[in-house]
Structures are given as C-alpha cells and as structure tokens.
Amino acid sequence: MAYKSVFTVVTDLSDVGPVLEAALPFVRAQGAHLDVLCLGIDRTQTGYYFAGATAMMHEETLMFAQSEAKGIEEAVRERLGRTEVSWGVDAVVAQTATVAGLVARRARFADLVMLPKPYGPNRTMDAPVIVESAMFQGQAPVMVLPGDAAPGTAPSKVVVAWNESAEAMSAVRRALPLLIAASEVNILIIDPQTHSTDSADPGSELCEMLTRHGVKTELSIVAKTLPRVSDMILRHVTDQNAELLVMGAYGHSRFREAILGGATRNLLEQAEVPVLMAH
C-alpha cells in the first residue's frame, strides 16, 4: 500500500511554511494528494461566560477565528499554487469543543496525517487535541514533524520501537511502505522480559514478517538503563542516526476519548526526527 491521501491541519500562520515544506517533498515522491485544513479556533466556550460577558465579545472572538482561518488559507493557497502536486484546501472555523470531532472525521479518510509537534514553546492547548483525535478517533497513522526536521522522500534509516503490543503492530503495518523503501530498519526492544510473548527469541517473528516484504531488518535488544523508556528510545534513535521513528501511540480515557500517555508525550516533546505513530 502506498500513501495516496495525505492530510494536515494548520491552526497557526507560522506553521504554514514548516509544515508544507516538510509535507510537499513526501507527497510528491508518493504521488499522493495533499489535503490541508486551515482551522480557525473560537476558544470561547458556550455556557461558560464570565459575569458581564456579552454577545459582542463572543462575536469578536468568532471574527478573530475567521480572520485566522482566512489568513492561513491565503498563505497555504499561495504556496500550493507554486507546486505541481494534487492538492485541496478547506478553511473552517470551529469552537474548541468541536475541534476533535472535526479533525477525526477528516483524518478517517487519509492514508497518513502529517502534523507539527504538539508540545513545546508557543504551542496552543488545541495542538495535542488535533494529534490525538486524528489517531484515536480518526484511526489514522500520524507523522509528527518536529520543528524543521522533514521526513524526506524515503527515510534511509528507520527505528521501530517494538514491545509486542497491538499499538506497535498497528504502527508497523501503517509504516510498511516506508519500511520497505528504507535501506535499514532497526527493531528496538527494551527489556524484552517485561513484554508478554510466547517466543523465546524476542523480535524474531516481526523480523521474519518484515523480511518477507523485502525489508532489511536488524534487531537491537537493550536493557533499560534510564528511568524513562522514552529517553531510551530517543537515545537509540540518535545512536543509530535514524531519520524516522515508528512506534505505537498509547492513551487512556480521561476528559476526552483518549489522551496521549505520559511516555508518548515525553517522547514527542524531545523528538528531533519525525515520529510515525498509530493506535
């Protein structure tokens, strides 16, 4: 399977350049179509106005969100108008409470969702919601782009964080086109005795499966020498000089349908290469 429908969401004018410049070479190489949702967010919450709030104040926030969406749309159209790839742009205004459902519906029909890193300086509270809703509710694989690090047309060296989980297997299946194209795929297993497996040879079944697809695999089994697994994974990615990390996305129910677990959040905060995740 190739990636033929790529989807992204832009909520900040400053993200237009970095996101599109990262996505376009990938989309071009895949022969894919790129859909961009330019999202203006009205952050007033119906039913939660403070004393003295007026309809005029609500109208002002709505107009600001509309202006944001329009400005993002103009910048996106200007950039995409100078490329030969197939593309579509839609500008929408939504309240904070409806963002997750809107993104999930759009993501459901994409082969891959590419989004900027949701955590870090100047990121809004809506950024994690967009990543989470695309993965958990939209059931789409998401490639998180860390800053200026683009995924490249075909990452040469890929690390797969493997722990026998259904989430990790889902990520591997969704990343298969990239794994096949890579010159080397390193399967990382940290403390295999902590994972439930019927195999006496951890990772062997995954290696065998991928090898049948023509994937060039190698296996790294390491002890947990740092307090957090996320730190172990990131250090290994750096040691391997990898250009892409593939891993399962873990969440738990709380206030929304699913919230990224602490280990996943820590990893995304620090990642310096694109991370492809699926749930």
Side-chain angles (χ1 to χ4, degrees):
M1 183 199 81
Y3 303 109
K4 292 303 180 184
S5 295
V6 177
F7 173 62
T8 189
V9 182
V10 183
T11 62
D12 191 305
L13 191 59
S14 64
D15 284 334
V16 171
V19 170
L20 293 186
E21 296 309 322
L24 282 172
F26 182 86
V27 170
R28 187 180 298 111
Q30 294 289 322
H33 174 90
L34 175 64
D35 279 313
V36 183
L37 178 62
C38 306
L39 189 56
I41 302 177
D42 175 6
R43 295 182 173 85
T44 56
Q45 297 294 309
T46 302
Y48 289 88
Y49 293 110
F50 56 86
T54 65
M56 184 177 295
M57 294 177 65
H58 174 59
E59 184 178 352
E60 288 178 357
T61 60
L62 178 60
M63 290 177 63
F64 180 75
Q66 291 172 335
S67 175
E68 274 192 321
K70 183 179 179 181
I72 294 169
E73 180 187 17
E74 290 174 350
V76 170
R77 288 187 180 277
E78 191 281 328
R79 176 61 188 92
L80 294 182
R82 295 184 277 112
T83 183
E84 75 287 358
V85 305
S86 171
W87 56 272
V89 176
D90 196 8
V92 176
V93 171
Q95 282 198 314
T96 297
T98 64
V99 167
L102 174 64
V103 171
R105 284 194 298 273
R106 303 294 184 94
R108 187 174 298 129
F109 299 99
D111 296 323
L112 181 68
V113 180
M114 301 180 77
L115 294 170
K117 181 186 288 191
Y119 305 107
N122 303 318
R123 305 311 297 176
T124 68
M125 64 179 182
D126 306 291
V129 176
I130 291 171
V131 173
E132 293 162 10
S133 58
M135 275 192 297
F136 294 113
Q137 294 169 258
Q139 292 294 299
V142 174
M143 182 182 289
V144 176
L145 307 167
D148 297 328
T153 56
S156 176
K157 185 69 177 284
V158 180
V159 167
V160 174
W162 180 246
N163 64 356
E164 300 280 347
S165 68
E167 291 86 352
M169 178 55 80
S170 178
V172 168
R173 293 189 189 281
R174 299 299 189 94
L176 198 53
L178 295 174
L179 302 183
I180 292 172
S183 60
E184 185 178 323
V185 174
N186 181 270
I187 299 170
L188 170 64
I189 302 177
I190 300 171
D191 271 356
Q193 67 271 17
T194 63
H195 311 316
S196 58
T197 177
D198 296 328
S199 174
D201 190 5
S204 60
E205 293 166 315
L206 179 61
C207 287
E208 185 176 324
M209 176 192 125
L210 292 177
T211 299
R212 288 172 181 162
H213 283 280
V215 178
K216 307 169 187 66
T217 63
E218 67 172 18
L219 188 62
S220 295
I221 300 177
V222 301
K224 185 172 179 286
T225 57
L226 295 175
R228 297 191 301 195
V229 171
S230 57
D231 292 334
M232 292 288 301
I233 294 172
L234 290 173
R235 185 173 71 177
H236 188 78
V237 168
T238 300
D239 291 344
Q240 292 290 317
N241 198 27
E243 300 166 17
L244 176 70
L245 170 64
V246 174
M247 61 176 287
Y250 307 98
H252 52 270
S253 295
R254 191 175 289 173
F255 302 113
R256 295 190 294 273
E257 181 174 332
I259 297 178
L260 289 176
T264 308
R265 174 172 179 151
N266 290 336
L267 190 144
L268 290 181
E269 285 177 334
Q270 302 175 56
E272 296 181 356
V273 301
V275 181
L276 193 153
M277 299 187 297
H279 179 65

